[in-house]
Amino acid sequence: MPHIVSVLVPTPKQSHLPDALSYWAENDLCAGTLVKVPLGPREVLGIVWHASTAPHEPKAGARTTDLKWISCVIEGFPALSQGWLELVAFSAQYYQRSLGEVALWGMPPQLKNLSAQQIQKRLERWQQQLSPPLGAKARPATNKRSRACAAQDPVALDTAPQSTPARVLATPPLLSAEQQQALNDIGANPGPFLLFGSTGSGKTEVYLQAIQALFERDSLAQALIMVPEINLTPQLQARVRERFAPLWGEHSIVCLHSGLTPAQRLKSWLAAHFGQARVVLGTRMSIFASIPRLQIIIVDEEHDVSYKQQEGARYSARDLAVYRARLENARVILGSATPSLESWHHSQASTVPGVKPRYQLVAMPSRIGNASLAQVHRVDMNHQPRKTVFSIPLLKAIESRLKAREQVLIVLNRRGYAPVLQCNSCGWKTRCQHCSAFKVFHKLDRTLRCHHCGQTERVPKACPVCADQDIGMLGLGTQQLEEQLQAALLSMGQELGREMTIERIDADSTQAKGSLEERLERMHAGDIDVLIGTQMIAKGHDFRRVTLVAAIDVDQALFSNDFRACERLFALLMQAGGRAGRDAHLTLARPSEMWLQTHHPKHALFEALKTHDYVRFATDQLRERALANMPPFSSQALIRVEARTAHAALGYLNELHTQGSSLLQEASELEPGSSFEDIFLYSAVPMQMQKLANVERYQLLIESSSRAHLQRFLRRLHEPLRALKKKHPGVLRWVIDVDPQSL
Ligand code: ADP
Ligand code: ZN
Ligand code: ZN
């Protein structure tokens, strides 16, 4: 007898369609079953959302007769777990998106694009490739409730790996006292944990052993390790493999990130979904992977902004990790030497007596082998000749390290040769016509390139305004640093009888596939003397022979109008400094060094940095944020609008402001003390990058002391947001960014 099932489909964004569509199905299907359904002219992947409770008889004349039939069930797949469905439901609700969009967003493209038969073939091939074959005879799912839903108990998965006890024991190192204490704490408490461990304190080892401890208790358990950027962490990947492959085989570790081919992505996804993969290592997208026996989630470098998705559903994978862990009764460890102020705040004792902090703080202040942290030197650039790139004391320090065959790291947060060319006679600058930004000079091909819209042109021979040929450079880029340093080290190289190898890592120099990995490898092998780069080189790397790190030209962020800029800069500098002196032997005789060139050497940020005092920095910042009622003491959301003209964008947002305000007004009149009373609407303002590729961008900030109230209010805005768009045809799109990471 036919049933009606509701199915999540990729509904067009911001449409009026309900979250799930109803279809006829031959049999009852349990929630989480993968199906193909017709949607408009297409056939799309769908996920059964609600199982209907009773069969429906199609009645003549009833509206149900308009319903279409599902095309087919994708056979051989266990249903997605209840926990996964709840994660999707929460994410859609919290980040103000449609259920269908969020549910299908993280699905591998091949599952979405291939036909049911093709998927079947892929599944069979994947199962054959596994050795030993794991119940490979893709058993046709009968779609009977009993069968299809058996998969909700992941133990019943057809292809779950056999629980062979570990034969070859990988050999973990003897733990430091702090590592051991951290592991004990993690083992004995439910968490969530904030693992606050200095750079080089051995956090990775704690992750690996925490995972191993869980695996020893449950031989089918699965782990998720999230990293900000997979290309930057080949070392971590290697260590995970080295530790777990001997225990559970090569197939037991899979990666999930956007750089995989569609075929690889499908394979990784299947391995996680079928329980074959014991460790899933991935970027933010992997938070939506189906991992039915998930027991532990690691969020490495939890402060990293890459955990926030910047388009579509703008989720925070770190925040969802905490939520998912609670849903699945799994452990979650957020690890960092410079935790985000949000996480730090949650780990601190509440001012309300008796209220436990939300996260349990686990601290590892010492470095492995008691290597000391770098000594911080500040160069006051006010006392250096104008246009100095490398100050004399810094150059001397670099030379001394290179002579000892140690390595040097130089961080500049800007790529390109010099950000801007300027006419020295009339002041003309290389502004992009399409964006509110300057084009950057790239020396190699002598072009001016906009890093925002990509627009590229040849460098003009003369100023286009006054025809003067005296065009000079403003500011610094990584290419220029490389050149300057090459020149500065020339004579030293001659003296030593070997040429210094200077390499650069930034988005430009690593476009070719594999070139980033190649450079990192050479750095680890000691074949590079000086590595110059953007923040890419400051993250997580365990370079053993680096003893000097220098940050050039860091002042911009001190005066940004984004209230998080100081937090970012502090983390960047702490992390960069953390690359120095990781080998205790090298630093015994002479401590490693961190150099800062700044015009504001007395700034509180540098004072805290000098003593490696994250806690002091965080406490100061949190005090300021509390006074100003900023996150984490309030919740924020941005309504962002893109329009053809500034007029259209502003008109739209101003009208939204009026309507939103009257919503708030009504609520407080109808119901004094209502949940909307603590909501504040700011006026619409242009985004920092107001114009991008000829599109005008404006935003409106909404703030509330309560997340829940903000959530409810945002829901109420969807209707006016949609209606106003019809009224303002110049508006191209709107989006809600919950917990925005940059203003
Ligand atoms: P973090 O992630 O905290 O910056 P890592 O996990 O990269 O630090 O560890 C720093 C270095 O110390 C690595 O080379 C790692 O192999 C090594 N290490 C970690 N734990 C131990 C230990 N217990 N004994 C010896 N070496 C260790
Ligand atoms: Zn000019
Ligand atoms: Zn541009």
Side-chain angles (χ1 to χ4, degrees):
M1 192 182 286
H3 288 66
I4 293 174
V5 291
S6 66
V7 178
L8 300 181
V9 291
T11 38
K13 271 167 251 146
Q14 303 167 358
S15 70
H16 278 89
L17 288 177
D19 273 340
L21 301 182
S22 294
Y23 289 90
W24 286 113
E26 205 60 81
N27 298 298
D28 196 2
L29 299 172
C30 78
T33 305
L34 294 178
V35 291
K36 288 277 177 180
V37 294
L39 180 68
R42 297 181 302 147
E43 191 179 280
V44 298
L45 179 70
I47 298 165
V48 175
W49 181 239
H50 283 305
S52 60
T53 39
H56 296 259
E57 197 66 81
K59 285 195 199 91
R63 267 187 54 79
T64 49
T65 49
D66 302 339
L67 294 186
K68 292 186 177 152
W69 285 79
I70 66 165
S71 312
C72 63
V73 172
I74 300 185
E75 313 237 304
F77 277 79
L80 293 153
S81 73
Q82 199 54 43
W84 188 88
L85 293 168
E86 280 175 41
L87 174 71
V88 163
F90 171 80
S91 309
Q93 189 263 334
Y94 188 82
Y95 293 105
Q96 308 283 325
R97 308 295 293 199
S98 81
L99 259 178
E101 180 196 4
V102 176
L104 288 145
W105 183 84
M107 288 287 166
Q110 288 201 330
L111 272 190
K112 293 191 252 191
N113 303 334
L114 299 180
S115 72
Q117 289 91 331
Q118 288 169 314
I119 292 172
Q120 218 70 55
K121 283 240 166 59
R122 300 286 197 288
L123 178 61
E124 279 166 29
R125 211 184 305 152
W126 172 73
Q127 285 170 328
Q128 277 158 13
Q129 278 170 5
L130 296 177
S131 52
L134 300 164
K137 46 176 183 7
R139 208 199 275 163
T142 54
N143 307 337
K144 294 260 162 54
R145 180 168 264 279
S146 57
R147 257 302 167 70
C149 297
Q152 294 221 337
D153 174 8
V155 190
L157 297 185
D158 282 1
T159 55
Q162 284 88 30
S163 53
T164 32
R167 288 270 179 66
V168 199
L169 269 175
T171 47
L174 204 62
L175 292 181
S176 71
E178 284 177 3
Q179 284 174 320
Q180 189 59 57
Q181 185 59 46
L183 265 179
N184 294 350
D185 286 350
I186 291 165
N189 295 285
F193 301 97
L194 178 63
L195 179 59
F196 172 49
S198 277
T199 50
S201 60
K203 293 184 285 296
T204 313
E205 193 54 44
V206 173
Y207 304 151
L208 296 180
Q209 297 209 23
I211 293 172
Q212 201 156 349
L214 279 175
F215 283 6
E216 273 155 22
R217 253 185 278 162
D218 176 354
S219 57
L220 295 174
Q222 292 177 287
L224 170 62
I225 304 178
M226 284 203 289
V227 294
E229 251 179 281
I230 210 109
N231 290 333
L232 294 181
T233 44
Q235 254 190 326
L236 178 65
Q237 274 184 66
R239 280 170 74 185
V240 170
R241 227 167 255 293
E242 197 179 288
R243 185 64 54 86
F244 294 116
L247 297 175
W248 289 285
E250 279 297 326
H251 291 298
S252 65
I253 301 134
V254 297
C255 289
L256 260 180
H257 55 91
S258 56
L260 298 178
T261 66
Q264 288 169 329
R265 245 190 77 191
L266 180 65
K267 270 196 200 169
S268 291
W269 191 89
L270 288 174
H273 181 58
F274 278 80
Q276 179 68 26
R278 309 298 301 285
V279 181
V280 177
L281 182 63
T283 50
R284 60 172 180 262
M285 66 183 285
S286 60
I287 194 60
F288 287 114
S290 159
I291 311 176
R293 303 272 321 200
L294 183 61
Q295 302 237 353
I296 182 166
I297 308 177
I298 311 283
V299 185
D300 189 28
E301 309 291 2
E302 68 89 35
H303 63 276
D304 201 293
V305 285
S306 331
Y307 285 119
K308 184 83 158 59
Q309 168 82 9
Q310 292 297 353
E311 54 192 49
R314 295 169 170 236
Y315 64 89
S316 156
R318 174 195 63 213
D319 295 351
L320 287 182
V322 174
Y323 188 83
R324 186 170 186 182
R326 195 171 72 207
L327 269 181
E328 313 238 17
N329 206 11
R331 285 211 158 59
V332 60
I333 306 176
L334 312 179
S336 176
T338 51
S340 62
L341 289 178
E342 276 84 357
S343 298
W344 181 254
H345 177 62
H346 292 327
S347 76
Q348 297 299 297
S350 163
T351 45
V352 187
V355 176
K356 278 227 237 149
R358 219 186 293 180
Y359 299 165
Q360 183 174 345
L361 185 65
V362 177
M364 299 201 302
S366 320
R367 288 187 138 183
I368 289 293
N370 284 320
S372 56
L373 288 165
Q375 269 182 4
V376 178
H377 302 262
R378 290 165 286 185
V379 181
D380 186 345
M381 295 307 275
N382 297 306
H383 301 318
Q384 295 289 324
R386 258 189 77 230
K387 298 207 165 174
T388 298
V389 178
F390 289 95
S391 60
I392 300 291
L394 173 56
L395 270 180
K396 285 229 148 57
I398 292 175
E399 285 186 3
S400 153
R401 294 294 174 174
L402 295 180
K403 277 183 183 151
R405 280 251 171 203
E406 292 165 10
Q407 290 174 305
V408 169
L409 211 63
I410 296 184
V411 182
L412 180 76
N413 222 1
R414 212 178 300 132
R415 64 192 160 104
Y417 188 81
V420 184
L421 290 186
Q422 176 179 256
C423 168
N424 287 332
S425 134
C426 78
W428 165 85
K429 292 189 191 64
T430 58
R431 197 178 274 286
C432 175
Q433 300 97 299
H434 313 291
C435 309
S436 29
F438 293 109
K439 284 188 189 164
V440 172
F441 176 48
H442 286 250
K443 189 166 188 217
L444 282 183
D445 50 2
R446 292 200 62 81
T447 55
L448 293 172
R449 201 176 304 159
C450 173
H451 283 180
H452 301 281
C453 71
Q455 220 269 334
T456 303
E457 62 179 306
R458 306 275 308 159
V459 172
K461 290 219 166 49
C463 170
V465 177
C466 72
D468 199 303
Q469 295 195 355
D470 182 15
I471 295 178
M473 261 173 266
L474 265 185
L476 269 177
T478 41
Q479 287 177 32
Q480 195 185 356
L481 277 190
E482 183 179 356
E483 219 176 72
Q484 291 256 351
L485 195 62
Q486 209 107 43
L489 297 180
L490 199 63
S491 61
M492 188 190 83
Q494 283 162 352
E495 191 185 311
L496 292 181
R498 72 181 178 99
E499 207 174 311
M500 293 298 128
T501 311
I502 302 175
E503 278 288 0
R504 187 160 52 85
I505 288 190
D506 57 27
D508 292 318
S509 74
T510 53
Q511 269 168 5
K513 204 170 149 51
S515 73
L516 172 64
E517 290 81 352
E518 183 258 351
R519 262 164 239 221
L520 288 175
E521 223 161 87
R522 279 173 50 217
M523 184 67 185
H524 283 297
D527 297 341
I528 293 175
D529 296 295
V530 183
L531 186 62
I532 298 179
T534 52
Q535 90 277 9
M536 290 168 97
I537 63 171
K539 292 182 180 179
H541 309 287
D542 189 26
F543 299 129
R544 307 303 295 173
R545 289 197 68 83
V546 169
T547 50
L548 189 152
V549 174
I552 310 285
D553 201 12
V554 290
D555 290 344
Q556 265 183 352
L558 295 178
F559 306 102
S560 163
N561 53 9
D562 186 335
F563 70 90
R564 282 194 181 83
C566 275
E567 177 184 355
R568 300 258 156 77
L569 177 64
F570 186 79
L572 171 70
L573 295 177
M574 277 281 273
Q575 295 287 344
R579 298 317 108 203
R582 295 170 75 85
D583 189 335
H585 298 296
L586 271 183
T587 57
L588 269 181
R590 192 157 55 135
S592 58
E593 302 159 66
M594 160 116 208
W595 285 73
L596 302 163
Q597 295 192 154
T598 170
H599 288 92
H600 308 273
K602 291 277 178 285
H603 195 285
L605 189 148
F606 299 128
E607 293 288 340
L609 196 71
K610 187 167 171 56
T611 44
H612 306 280
D613 200 346
Y614 168 83
V615 177
R616 171 172 155 196
F617 174 77
T619 311
D620 284 354
Q621 287 277 312
L622 282 173
R623 197 177 304 124
E624 277 176 29
R625 296 227 191 142
L627 283 175
N629 198 31
M630 282 191 291
F633 302 95
S634 64
S635 286
Q636 295 183 330
L638 279 175
I639 313 280
R640 297 197 142 132
V641 167
E642 295 183 3
R644 274 184 250 279
T645 61
H647 181 72
L650 262 179
Y652 178 90
L653 281 180
N654 287 341
E655 212 168 327
L656 183 77
H657 191 282
T658 311
Q659 294 193 8
S661 303
S662 42
L663 265 178
L664 296 178
Q665 184 66 29
E666 275 165 35
S668 72
E669 277 164 14
L670 283 177
E671 195 191 329
S674 81
S675 64
F676 284 171
E677 274 194 346
D678 57 1
I679 288 176
F680 189 79
L681 283 179
Y682 287 82
S683 303
V685 292
M687 284 174 62
Q688 187 139 316
M689 256 315 269
Q690 178 185 340
K691 192 170 158 201
L692 197 150
N694 285 332
V695 171
E696 292 285 342
R697 299 143 33 105
Y698 278 71
Q699 64 189 20
L700 183 156
L701 181 66
I702 308 175
E703 208 171 70
S704 168
S705 54
S706 150
R707 264 169 201 259
H709 297 170
L710 181 61
Q711 284 299 308
R712 203 143 359 107
F713 182 63
L714 290 174
R715 276 285 157 208
R716 294 282 298 275
L717 289 184
H718 283 229
E719 198 43 54
L721 278 164
R722 271 196 292 263
L724 284 172
K725 183 156 180 295
K726 294 214 183 83
K727 209 176 142 191
H728 296 264
V731 169
L732 300 167
R733 59 189 77 83
W734 54 270
V735 66
I736 301 177
D737 189 350
V738 180
D739 301 332
Q741 287 302 298
S742 56
L743 291 184

